[in-house]
């Protein structure tokens, strides 16, 4: 999936920007939104994505960077979460550029009892974020928030440009 660090960063940066847009659109009240009482709240999902950098990348690969700490309680405000994601992601990208080369991608690390290449770690980081971000956009709708477009315009963005979402 990623043959070089440059290739990863080219794919990752728009994904991280998409997640940042989602986080920047959360409100403090919306953090409590949940599907049912025994499922993660919107705030917990946002914090889970933010602290996954620490858990998955810093915690398992040896990359050293300033990361929002896995296991810390969910912050009370949406801004704290959005700022923590921004800082952590920027720090991780800088560290990848400084500490890894293309050869690092083929190195293996013990991940949850299996040996994964660093390339696989990055692929899982990628798909894991897409998975939870999609859950978040549903909760955002339920909380009455605007949803930013990710791979194309969202419903309200279609309306804003005078169009309509496709009927498929
Ligand atoms: Ni997860």
């Amino acid at each position: 999936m990623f043959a070089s660090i440059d290739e990863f960063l080219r794919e990752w940066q728009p994904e991280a920007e998409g997640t940042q847009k989602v986080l920047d659109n959360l409100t403090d009240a919306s953090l409590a939104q949940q599907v049912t009482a025994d499922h993660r709240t919107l705030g917990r999902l946002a914090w889970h994505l933010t602290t996954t950098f620490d858990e998955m990348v810093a915690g398992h690969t040896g990359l050293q960077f300033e990361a929002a700490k896995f296991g810390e309680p969910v912050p009370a405000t949406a801004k704290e979460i959005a700022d923590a994601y921004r800082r952590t992601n920027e720090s991780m990208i800088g560290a990848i550029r400084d500490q890894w080369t293309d050869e690092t991608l083929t190195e293996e690390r013990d991940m949850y009892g299996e040996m994964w290449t660093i390339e696989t770690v990055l692929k899982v980081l990628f798909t894991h974020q897409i998975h939870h971000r999609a859950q978040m956009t549903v909760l955002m709708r339920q909380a009455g928030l605007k949803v930013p477009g990710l791979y194309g315009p969202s419903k309200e963005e279609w309306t804003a440009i005078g169009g309509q979402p496709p009927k498929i």
Side-chain angles (χ1 to χ4, degrees), residues 1-159:
M1 188 170 178
F2 306 118
S4 69
I5 297 291
D6 278 351
E7 192 179 344
F8 167 70
L9 292 175
R10 250 197 325 274
E11 297 288 331
W12 175 257
Q13 276 171 328
E15 288 295 326
E17 282 165 20
T19 302
Q20 191 71 60
K21 276 198 289 184
V22 166
L23 295 174
D24 287 343
N25 273 274
L26 301 181
T27 60
D28 296 349
S30 75
L31 300 182
Q33 188 72 37
Q34 57 192 155
V35 176
T36 58
D38 60 349
H39 281 77
R40 285 173 173 154
T41 61
L42 181 52
R44 178 156 292 285
L45 282 170
W47 190 236
H48 175 57
L49 280 186
T50 302
T51 58
T52 286
F53 296 108
D54 185 45
E55 188 277 320
M56 194 182 292
V57 186
H60 285 89
T61 71
L63 189 75
Q64 298 196 349
F65 60 100
E66 289 292 320
K69 288 284 168 271
F70 180 73
E72 289 285 308
V74 182
T77 67
K79 183 173 187 309
E80 284 173 85
I81 300 174
D83 287 349
Y85 181 93
R86 185 178 292 105
R87 278 197 311 272
T88 300
N89 181 56
E90 281 172 5
S91 178
M92 181 189 74
I93 288 172
I96 287 176
R97 286 210 170 98
D98 290 346
Q99 297 169 38
W100 286 357
T101 66
D102 294 346
E103 285 68 46
T104 312
L105 295 172
T106 60
E107 292 179 11
E108 291 190 333
R109 297 287 188 274
D110 189 333
M111 300 291 291
Y112 319 110
E114 296 174 13
M115 295 307 285
W116 294 6
T117 62
I118 298 284
E119 182 194 5
T120 298
V121 175
L122 293 177
K123 185 181 77 176
V124 172
L125 184 73
F126 203 88
T127 52
H128 177 258
Q129 177 172 258
I130 293 168
H131 165 66
H132 287 304
R133 192 177 59 201
Q135 296 175 319
M136 290 175 64
T137 58
V138 176
L139 289 169
M140 288 172 78
R141 288 263 180 248
Q142 292 185 329
L145 300 184
K146 277 190 184 164
V147 172
L150 290 163
Y151 302 107
S154 63
K155 187 166 191 271
E156 49 270 61
E157 287 172 352
W158 275 106
T159 311

